[in-house]
Every structure is written in C-alpha cells, then in structure tokens.
C-alpha cells in the first residue's frame, strides 16, 4: 500500500516533445542509446584487430630476404593499389559520418542519437504510423507505399498516388507521341488530297468532334445532308458503323443513304434501314456482306421506291432473288452499280436485268467474276445508257466492245473499260467514230493498243474536250523488251501530246501512271510553264520514268489550280518547291516549311527549283 502510494506520488520533471513522441510510438530512447554504444564499441574493437593484423604483416615483410626486392613497375602498381584502397576507406568513413542537420533539444546527446536512428528507420509491419499525406493513423503493412517525403501512406492515399502516376506517365507518353501522330495525320490527309493552311474550318471541327464522341450522341437533329454524309465517311473510316450508331443516320424523310463500310451490320440492320426510311430512293452500301435475300424480300414487300442502287460485295444474294428483284422493281431503276461479286449474278441473271430494267441510265459492273461475252452482247439492248463502267474477270474479245460502242456510244457520257487485255486499236477507233458526248474516259491495263491508236483517237475527234482521263498502265509488259516494240505499245509520246492538245483546256483529272513510254521531251513540251491548263486539279504521273524535278516544277506553273499530284516512283524528282495548297504525294523529300515569295506561297526545299 505504501509502495503504491510512493510510486504515485513520484515527482516528474518537464519532458521534451521528442521524448513524448518516442513514448507514444513505443520507442525506448535508452534502448536506442544502448544499441548506439554497442555499435561504437564493436567498431572500435574491429579497428584495433585490423591494426594488429596489419602490424604482423608489416613485420613479416621486414623479415623477407633482400633478394625479393620489388621492381620499379611492381612498386608503382602497389602504390596505386594502396592509394585506391585509402580513397575507398575515406569514402566509407565520410558516408557513415554524414548526418542531417538537427535542432538542439533539452535531452542532449541521447535525444540526438534517438532522432538520428528514428529518421533512418521505418516502422515495421504491424506497427502504427501516421499517413504522410492525410495524417491519418493506420497500421503498417508490407505493401504500404512511400510518399514524396519518404514517409508512409495509408491505403487510400497509396491508391491515389498510383492513379496519379499512371495519368502522368500516360500524359508524358502522349506528349512524346504527338509529333508522330500529327505527321501521320498530315500524310493521311495528303493521300486524300487535303492540304490545310492553318486551323480547320469550324464546321469541320464540329463534325470531327461529333465523330470522336459518336457513342454519346443520341441524334443528329437537323444537320444538313452534306454534313451527315461527311460524318458517314469519317465513321466508316474509323470502322464504327454498327447497329448502335446506324439509327443516327435514319429519318422517316430520308431519301439518300451512303455508307462506305457496312462490315459490322447484320441482316436485321439492313431491314431496319428500310423500316425507318421507307421513302429511300438512293442507296449506296459498301462492304455489304450480310445483305441477303431477306433484305430484298422486305424491299419488294414494302415497295420501297429505289431508283439508284450501289452495292459492293453483296455476295450472299442468290441468282433467283436477283431475277425476282429485277422483274418486280427493275422498272424504277435508273442507276445500278454492283461490284465484287464472285458467287452470284451470272450471264443468265444479266439477261433478266436487261429485260426488267429498260430505264437504266447508269450501269457499273466491276469485278463480277461470272459475267462474260453474253453480257457484253446484252448490254447493246440498253438504249438509254449514258454511263457505262465494265471490268470483267473472264476473257472477252475486242469485237464485243466495238459492237457495244457502235450500238450505244452516241449517248455515252462516261465510258470506263478496265482490264480488257484483248482490246486493240479497233476499240479506240470505234470510240473516235461513235462517241461524241463523252466527258469521262477510262481505259486501263492494256498492252495491245499502240501509241498510233491513241494519237488517232484524239485526232479530228468530234467529241468536246474531256474533263476526266484515266489511261493507267497502258504500256508494254514484255520484261525482255521493257522499252517496247517499234510500234510503241501503250500510251506514248505522240498519244500524250494529242490528248493534251485535244482536252487540255478543260481537263480536270489526268491519270497516266505507269505509262513509261512517254519521253521527257514530250513532258517538257506539254508542261513548259507557258502553256496553261486552267482546269487541271488532280494528276497522277507515278512511274513515268522520265519525270524529273524540272518537269514537276513546270507542271505546277502550267496548272495554277492543281491541288493533288501523285508521283510515286519518279526517282529523278528531288528538292522540289511545292506551291501552297498542293498535296504532293510519293516524293519523300518534299518538306512543309512555308514562306511567301513573289506573291505566291511555296513549300520550300533547300536548293530546290522554284517558279522561273
């Protein structure tokens, strides 16, 4: 009883804040001091032991005979090793003696040692600790994170810190990748013929923003049809035309729908198009792989007033269903464009098309594998055709093409004949004789027609100047004689000059890639900077081997409205000066630095050719 009273009545002096902190965290200052003294004592004993060992080694070395004297080289190596050892010992001692500056406190040397030891040690798992960030008290675990000031963090603050680190790393990576992404986007726009000067127009920015957040859009409202079409192209390029986004494009009063990528749509989605837009007249669907018989049944059942149909890759429609569709709905069709059909639509089906669609004005049949000579013969019965595009896989004769041109050529405004390898100069002669209203002419992938045939085509031709010409890959394909025969197979010098003399003033698009028999003198004569082609906007001269920097510069001078020039494989083109607003594609050393010179803006290349 008296002992307890004596203990309770003990008088205690004032204590420092550090002493109270150590007591609250179960840290004994006496224990820390004892550990400190023990380490000092062990270090002192170890130093004495090393000194005794070094003395013994020195005595043994003194007792060695004189005949083991070291050479000058050995002495130099020994001194160098001793010097390195001394430097290493000094570094170790300085690192052990380095301590943080501490404020003096009433506890003296014991408090200094305790503070030094505590500042270097972290709480063990199971102990209590205050969070460095929110100062909340928590139990330390092996997974506790370290804060920015070397303190520990609670679980909540640790998660916040990890989330912030991930955001910072992502932002840094995005910032580093920004130049590459910007350049990639610029090159992609160049391939589309788009060259921007400054910021995008406000309308384009709004359309791009909508496209980037399409999954948050509920409806397009009263957007004009042009903007909706632009949105459809962007979303198709991004592959986001799907059942979720399709209803955004559908309205009851819709009469035109164009989708350039329908790869993610199913049969039910195609049926939904005609249920939402029963007055649809123009339908254009690319990659429509799931457009099946059920969709045509729904169109015929609801009597949808389709007049213009463009379907690409609709391979799952059977021949019987095509025949039924042409029989019931063909009288309304004015335009039919089918492509990439390798399973259905053969010559027999095409016969029903001719009988059921007498009002057709536009017909495109490209890459339809099962069409051949009978189809070419049947086309002659379509007397109202104004636009004809053909590309067959099966072999056909030149005489069949001549008969078609003779029968319907007088009304044709567009004629496209691709990959007809057996066509010869007789086809060009028939075009010259019977076509008098052509605006667009495409004749590609042929090595039988000669330069003389192309020259005679444009000589004394009653047809007005063409606005679109595509003579791609009309050249000799004999690798043993790459320069061609004496007759100059394909479009050559004389044919090219005749083309530009006939259609140059109104020509808007010129496509002559791989016409390698055009000589440099002809190119210089046509694009000399003095002759002017005011309407020419797009040109492709890829793999025309004689093209060089001077010819490209002359082309820019002769074509003031040029917006897109493609020149792949023209290895003599280098350091070219490109006018402002022109997309030059295929020349790797065309740069983007822009200056103002002589009232014209140019992309400047060092040591390049300018306007002369």
């Amino acid at each position: 009883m008296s002992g307890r009273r004596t203990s309770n009545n003990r008088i205690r002096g004032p204590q420092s804040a550090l002493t109270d902190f150590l007591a609250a965290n179960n840290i004994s200052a006496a224990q820390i001091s004892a550990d400190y003294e023990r380490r000092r004592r062990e270090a002192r004993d170890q130093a004495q032991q090393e000194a005794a060992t070094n003395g013994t080694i020195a005595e043994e070395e003194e007792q060695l005979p004189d005949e083991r004297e070291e050479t000058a080289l050995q002495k130099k190596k020994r001194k160098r090793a001793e010097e390195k050892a001394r430097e290493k010992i000094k570094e170790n001692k300085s690192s052990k003696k380095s301590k943080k500056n501490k404020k003096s406190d009433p506890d003296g040397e014991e408090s200094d040692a305790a503070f030094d030891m505590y500042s270097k040690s972290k709480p063990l798992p199971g102990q209590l600790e205050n969070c460095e960030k929110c100062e909340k008290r928590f139990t330390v675990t092996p997974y506790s994170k370290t804060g920015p000031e070397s303190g520990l963090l609670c679980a909540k603050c640790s998660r916040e810190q990890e989330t912030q680190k991930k955001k910072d790393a992502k932002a840094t990576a995005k910032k580093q990748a920004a130049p590459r992404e910007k350049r990639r986007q610029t090159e992609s726009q160049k391939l589309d013929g788009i060259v921007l000067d400054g910021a995008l127009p406000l309308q384009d920015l709004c359309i791009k923003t909508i496209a980037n957040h399409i999954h948050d859009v509920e409806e397009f409202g009263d957007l004009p049809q042009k903007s909706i079409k632009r949105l459809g192209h962007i979303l198709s390029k991004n592959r986001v035309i799907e059942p979720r986004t399709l209803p955004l494009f559908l309205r009851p009063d819709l009469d035109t729908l164009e989708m350039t990528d329908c790869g993610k749509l199913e049969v039910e989605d195609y049926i939904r198009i005609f249920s939402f837009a029963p007055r649809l007249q123009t339908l254009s669907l690319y990659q429509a792989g799931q457009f099946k018989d059920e969709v045509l049944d729904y169109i015929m059942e609801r009597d949808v007033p389709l007049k213009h149909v463009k379907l690409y890759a609709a391979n799952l429609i059977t021949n019987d269903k095509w025949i039924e569709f042409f029989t019931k709905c063909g009288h309304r069709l004015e335009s039919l464009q089918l492509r990439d059909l390798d399973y259905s639509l053969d010559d027999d089906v095409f016969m029903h098309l001719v009988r059921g669609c007498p009002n057709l004005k536009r017909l495109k049949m490209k890459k339809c594998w099962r069409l051949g000579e009978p189809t070419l013969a049947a086309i002659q019965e379509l007397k109202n055709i104004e636009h004809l595009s053909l590309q067959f896989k099966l072999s056909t004769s030149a005489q069949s093409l001549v008969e078609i041109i003779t029968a319907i050529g007088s009304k044709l405004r567009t004629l496209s004949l691709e990959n007809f390898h057996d066509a010869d100069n007789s086809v060009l002669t028939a075009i010259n004789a019977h076509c008098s209203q052509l605006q667009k002419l495409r004749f590609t992938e042929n090595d039988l027609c000669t330069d003389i045939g192309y020259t005679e085509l444009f000589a004394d031709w009653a047809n007005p100047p063409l606005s679109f010409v595509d003579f791609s890959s009309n050249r000799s394909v004999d690798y043993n004689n790459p320069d061609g025969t004496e007759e100059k197979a394909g479009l050559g010098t004389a044919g090219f000059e005749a083309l530009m003399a006939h259609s140059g003033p109104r020509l808007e698009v010129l496509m002559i890639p791989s016409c390698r028999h055009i000589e440099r003198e002809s190119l210089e004569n046509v694009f000399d900077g003095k002759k002017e082609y005011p309407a020419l906007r797009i040109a492709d001269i890829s793999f025309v081997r004689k093209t060089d920097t001077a010819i490209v510069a002359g082309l820019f001078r002769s074509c003031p409205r040029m917006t897109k020039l493609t020149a792949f494989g023209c290895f003599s083109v280098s350091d070219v000066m490109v006018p402002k607003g022109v997309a030059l594609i295929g020349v790797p050393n065309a740069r983007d630095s822009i200056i103002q010179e002589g009232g014209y803006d140019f992309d400047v290349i060092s040591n390049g050719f300018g306007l002369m």
Side-chain angles (χ1 to χ4, degrees):
M1 191 73 176
S2 61
R4 187 191 311 169
R5 186 181 301 111
T6 303
S7 175
N8 294 336
N9 293 334
R10 181 182 299 173
I11 298 174
R12 300 178 181 178
Q15 294 182 351
S16 65
L18 178 60
T19 304
D20 291 339
F21 177 76
L22 296 176
N25 288 275
N26 299 325
I27 300 173
S28 173
Q31 181 64 34
I32 294 173
S33 179
D35 293 342
Y36 177 71
E37 292 296 335
R38 176 176 55 78
R39 285 194 295 273
R40 292 182 60 187
R41 184 169 58 255
E42 290 176 354
R44 185 168 55 253
D45 294 342
Q46 184 177 0
Q48 292 176 358
Q49 185 178 359
E50 290 177 356
T53 304
N54 293 336
T56 304
I57 294 175
E59 292 177 359
E60 292 178 355
E61 290 179 351
E62 291 176 357
Q63 295 176 1
L64 291 174
D66 296 336
E67 60 187 16
R68 295 191 56 188
E69 292 181 358
E70 57 187 357
T71 63
L73 182 60
Q74 292 175 343
K75 185 176 181 180
K76 187 176 181 181
K77 289 183 178 180
R78 179 178 57 79
K79 288 184 178 180
R80 189 181 301 165
E82 290 176 355
E83 187 176 14
K84 290 183 179 179
R86 283 194 296 270
E87 291 178 358
K88 190 173 182 180
I89 292 173
K90 288 180 181 179
E91 290 177 0
N92 292 337
K93 288 184 178 180
S94 62
S95 62
K96 290 180 180 180
K97 290 181 180 180
S98 61
K99 296 180 180 180
K100 295 181 180 179
N101 294 329
K102 302 177 286 293
K103 297 180 180 180
S104 58
D105 58 86
D107 291 342
E109 184 179 354
E110 179 179 327
S111 298
D112 290 342
F115 184 86
D116 183 68
M117 296 302 298
Y118 180 74
S119 62
K120 293 182 179 180
S121 62
K122 293 183 179 179
L124 299 175
Q127 295 182 345
L128 297 177
E129 176 68 349
N130 291 329
C131 176
E132 177 187 300
K133 189 174 181 180
C134 65
E135 299 184 357
K136 179 181 178 181
R137 197 165 181 79
F138 69 98
T139 303
V140 178
T141 67
Y143 308 103
S144 298
K145 303 293 183 181
T146 304
E149 298 180 2
S150 302
L152 295 179
L153 300 176
C154 64
K156 181 180 178 181
C157 295
S158 297
R159 288 193 297 269
E160 293 177 354
Q161 178 177 262
E162 289 298 319
T163 303
Q164 187 62 35
K165 284 183 178 179
K166 291 180 179 179
K167 289 183 178 179
D168 295 341
K170 189 175 181 180
T172 303
K174 186 176 182 180
K175 187 176 181 181
Q176 292 175 351
R180 176 186 294 181
E181 292 295 331
K182 184 177 180 181
R183 181 171 180 81
R184 181 183 299 174
Q185 184 178 6
T186 302
E187 295 300 324
S188 176
Q189 290 174 345
K190 281 186 178 181
L191 290 175
D192 294 334
I194 301 173
V195 178
L196 298 176
D197 181 21
L200 285 169
L202 180 59
Q203 184 179 8
D204 292 346
L205 285 174
C206 294
I207 291 175
K208 188 175 181 180
T209 302
I210 294 174
N212 292 336
H213 301 83
I214 190 63
H215 292 290
D216 299 326
V217 178
E218 295 182 358
E219 62 177 10
F220 287 154
D222 296 329
L223 278 178
Q225 185 63 32
K226 183 178 179 181
S227 299
I228 294 178
K229 183 178 180 180
R230 175 65 177 154
L231 268 172
H233 289 169
I234 295 176
L235 297 179
S236 296
K237 186 176 181 180
N238 297 338
R239 302 299 303 273
V240 292
I241 297 294
E242 52 191 19
R244 162 66 180 81
T245 56
L246 178 63
L248 298 175
F249 296 88
L250 305 180
R251 297 196 302 262
D253 59 340
L254 186 68
D255 61 355
T256 301
L257 179 64
E258 180 176 354
M259 296 287 180
T260 56
D261 181 18
C262 303
K264 295 183 178 180
L265 300 183
E266 300 295 335
V267 176
E268 296 77 10
D269 302 315
Y270 293 115
I271 294 176
R272 191 192 313 174
I273 291 175
F274 301 103
S275 63
F276 273 77
R279 301 177 183 176
L280 202 62
Q281 296 183 7
T282 302
L283 177 67
S284 178
L285 301 178
Y286 293 32
Q287 314 303 329
Q290 295 299 314
F291 199 99
K292 299 181 181 179
D293 290 354
E294 294 87 337
V295 184
L296 287 183
D297 286 335
Y298 189 87
I299 293 173
M300 291 183 288
E301 178 184 351
R302 296 300 179 94
D303 198 23
V304 180
L306 286 176
K307 293 183 179 180
H308 309 279
V309 176
K310 180 189 292 186
L311 291 177
Y312 288 0
N315 275 304
L316 299 182
I317 301 177
T318 61
N319 286 337
D320 294 338
K321 193 57 62 177
W322 276 123
I323 294 173
E324 184 180 355
F325 174 72
F326 293 142
T327 303
K328 292 183 178 180
C329 303
H331 62 282
R332 280 194 298 259
L333 289 180
E334 297 179 5
S335 173
L336 179 62
Q337 303 179 58
L338 303 178
R339 179 169 178 165
D340 298 317
L341 301 180
D342 55 4
Y343 173 72
S344 60
L345 199 73
D346 54 16
D347 293 325
D348 294 335
V349 176
F350 195 85
M351 300 299 178
H352 289 82
L353 183 153
V354 172
R355 290 192 291 268
C357 308
N359 300 318
L360 274 181
K361 295 182 179 180
R362 182 184 297 272
L363 177 65
K364 176 187 287 187
M365 293 289 168
K366 288 194 173 184
K367 297 184 179 179
C368 298
W369 289 18
R370 305 183 67 180
L371 298 181
E373 288 281 358
T375 296
L376 294 181
I379 291 177
Q380 303 175 32
E381 300 178 16
L382 296 173
K383 301 300 182 180
N384 295 320
I385 288 291
E386 297 179 358
H387 306 275
L388 180 63
S389 299
L390 302 176
Q391 182 181 3
F392 292 173
K393 184 177 179 63
L394 298 178
S395 178
T396 57
S397 65
Q399 184 60 32
S400 299
L401 297 177
V402 171
E403 292 175 357
I404 290 177
I405 297 171
T406 303
I408 62 175
S410 59
K411 292 185 178 181
L412 288 180
R413 299 179 181 274
T414 298
L415 178 60
S416 175
L417 303 175
E418 298 184 65
N419 299 94
F420 286 92
H421 302 291
D422 296 328
D424 54 19
N425 287 344
S426 62
V427 177
L428 301 180
T429 302
I431 295 175
N432 177 279
H434 300 284
C435 297
S436 58
Q437 300 186 45
L438 281 183
Q439 299 175 356
K440 173 182 176 181
L441 176 60
R442 173 180 282 125
F443 187 74
T444 65
E445 298 285 343
N446 181 271
D447 63 335
L448 292 183
C449 294
T450 64
D451 190 30
I452 297 175
Y454 290 102
T455 305
E456 294 177 350
L457 167 64
F458 294 101
D460 300 326
W461 192 12
N463 195 84
L466 301 172
S467 61
F468 183 103
V469 173
D470 184 2
F471 287 155
S472 304
S473 302
N474 290 328
R475 81 284 188 221
S476 173
V477 294
D478 184 4
Y479 297 105
N480 295 323
N481 188 14
D483 293 329
T485 61
E486 295 181 358
E487 295 183 357
K488 295 295 182 183
L491 181 67
T493 299
F496 177 63
E497 291 181 355
L499 160 65
M500 298 306 294
H502 175 270
S503 302
R506 297 186 184 179
L507 190 62
E508 298 180 12
V509 180
L510 174 64
M511 313 291 285
I512 53 171
S514 299
C515 295
R516 60 171 180 261
H517 304 307
I518 302 176
E519 298 296 334
R520 188 180 190 279
E521 292 75 11
S522 176
L523 295 170
E524 283 184 335
N525 183 35
V526 172
F527 301 117
D528 58 358
K530 299 178 181 178
K531 298 183 182 69
E532 187 170 303
Y533 308 99
L536 191 57
R537 299 179 295 103
I538 300 173
D540 188 348
I541 55 174
S542 300
F543 301 102
V544 178
R545 298 180 300 173
K546 304 299 182 179
T547 304
D548 58 15
T549 305
I551 291 174
V552 173
L555 188 149
F556 288 144
R557 294 196 305 271
S558 298
C559 307
R561 294 186 60 189
M562 180 66 64
T563 60
K564 180 181 178 181
L565 176 62
T566 306
F568 287 104
C570 299
F571 303 111
S572 298
V573 179
S574 62
D575 297 338
V576 66
M577 184 179 291
V578 184
K580 180 180 178 181
V582 177
L584 178 59
I585 304 170
V587 180
N589 50 0
R591 306 296 174 83
D592 297 326
S593 54
I594 298 175
I595 65 170
Q596 186 85 11
E597 180 177 331
Y600 297 91
D601 289 337
F602 300 97
D603 289 345
V604 175
I605 306 303
S606 58
N607 300 325
F609 289 83
L611 292 187
M612 295 177 284

